[in-house]
Amino acid sequence: MLYPQQMYVLKRIILFLRRLIYLARSHPIESAFVVSVIIAALLPLRQPSIKGYPYLHLTEIKDDLQMCLVTRRPPDFKLCPLVARELSTFKHANININDSLLQEMPVKFKIQSGGRWFPKNCSSWQRVAVIVPYRNRENQLKVFLQHMHPFLQAQRLDYGIFVIEQSEKHSFNRGKLFNIGYLEASKEPDFCCFIFHDVDLLPESPQHIYGCSEEPRHMCSALDSFRYVLPYPELFGGVVAFTKEQFSNVNGFSNMYFGWGGEDDDLYERLCSKQIRVRRWAPEISRYTMLYHAKEIPNPTRHMLLRTSVQRLEVDGLSTLEYKILKTELKPLYTHILVDVKPR
Ligand code: UDP
Ligand code: MN
């Protein structure tokens, strides 16, 4: 029930809106112009600095990065500099496929089969496994590989790229593919940092060191398709970095999300339940280009699964992972693992 004064205000508002609609109908071009000016004036308010999300700045990165011993190197071998000289000359993301470059890359960049590389004259801070879930995105994979090898080498990283392809059976399960990639890469010694990476995202800033932080890091927090603004602080998709301890602490991703969406929110819930805060680096460092693709069909059961995410933590994840490897191949630019995510 409204008081007479409130009724009066409501009537005035309705009258004002009616006049606006009338004005917009009679002067459509002018109205469109005014609306555009208002939107342009409001958009800068979405800047992350104004929203006040906590970020680590360039000067704080060195303290944030974790060091782990690479046993293949003598313990007194000198550490690589964190920001290599080549970084300053690195170019922005190129989204065009260059087939001849892809052919030349293994020799030109001295990449070992399986997509491995490490610097010869210094010891990297971490050995990093980049895990990519994959199915039927051939062109995006080409652009990704052509971008990532020079990018990671400029940072003097000891790294390997693992592409985990799901067989045609069943709908796509991004979380499970990440879990499989983690377990398979862990069979090799020394991988201590795992970067779970969509194939369609390309880091733009050479200063964005692909190593693990004190806390799990959301790496692609400034996406070009979101105008480089983090839409909401709970977003934890795209590219994330976990040390072995951080990932096993939350039992990895859930294995239960088939189809698009939910698995990244589920992982965020897992972190929250353990009072782990997500780390992010400043937006100017965390900039990514996203390659275009049509939107996948969302999984209608994702909201229901999310409600029980925390209860399932111990019984749904790395500890209960079942899969069947159909093929493992050391390709010139990556390790290819084809899997069936439901073995039975
Ligand atoms: N993906 C894939 N094939 C598919 C669906 C997904 O390779 O059919 C992988 C790919 O690495 C992709 C990631 O899963 O970048 C996330 O899927 P998508 O890009 O559709 O998610 P969105 O960008 O809409 O969040
Ligand atoms: Mn995508």
Side-chain angles (χ1 to χ4, degrees), residues 16 45 63 73 111 145 156 162 166 168 189 197 216 237 268 272 279 287 289 291 296 307 318 339 343:
F16 176 71
L45 294 178
D63 291 333
R73 288 301 179 84
I111 299 163
L145 294 166
R156 294 277 173 269
F162 296 79
Q166 184 174 333
E168 284 307 315
H197 210 304
Y268 186 81
C272 290
R279 183 78 28 116
R287 288 165 71 96
T289 297
L291 302 174
E296 300 289 336
R307 264 179 245 135
L318 292 172
V339 292

Side-chain angles (χ1 to χ4, degrees), residues 5 29 32-33 58 62 64 69 84 108 125 130 141 145 166-167 182 206 229 294 342:
Q5 232 173 351
I29 296 174
F33 177 72
L58 205 52
K62 196 167 178 185
D64 184 41
L69 211 63
K108 191 172 171 188
W125 280 54
V130 178
L141 182 59
L145 294 166
Q166 184 174 333
S167 68
Y182 169 83
V229 172
K342 274 192 192 171

Side-chain angles (χ1 to χ4, degrees), residues 137 140 198 200-201 260 290-291 293:
R137 300 236 182 149
Q140 292 190 346
D198 280 3
D200 54 11
L201 294 173
W260 183 92
M290 182 165 146
L291 302 174
H293 59 81

Side-chain angles (χ1 to χ4, degrees), residues 9-25:
V9 173
L10 197 67
K11 272 184 189 164
R12 298 292 302 189
I13 292 172
I14 291 169
L15 205 67
F16 176 71
L17 288 177
R18 273 194 187 153
R19 274 192 197 149
L20 270 187
I21 292 167
Y22 173 75
L23 214 68
R25 277 193 180 152

Side-chain angles (χ1 to χ4, degrees), residues 129-135 137 140-142 144-145 148 152 160-166 172-182 185 194-201 210 238-240 333-339:
V130 178
I131 316 271
V132 182
Y134 177 80
R135 177 151 85 186
R137 300 236 182 149
Q140 292 190 346
L141 182 59
K142 284 183 179 176
F144 178 80
L145 294 166
M148 291 309 290
L152 297 168
I161 298 182
F162 296 79
V163 174
I164 318 298
E165 180 176 359
Q166 184 174 333
F172 199 71
N173 189 326
R174 181 173 173 269
K176 202 161 181 182
L177 293 176
F178 279 144
N179 284 344
I180 296 168
Y182 169 83
F194 297 82
I195 299 191
F196 301 105
H197 210 304
D198 280 3
V199 74
D200 54 11
L201 294 173
Y210 264 48
V239 186
V240 295
L333 297 178
Y334 61 95
T335 298
H336 178 218
I337 302 178
L338 179 67
V339 292

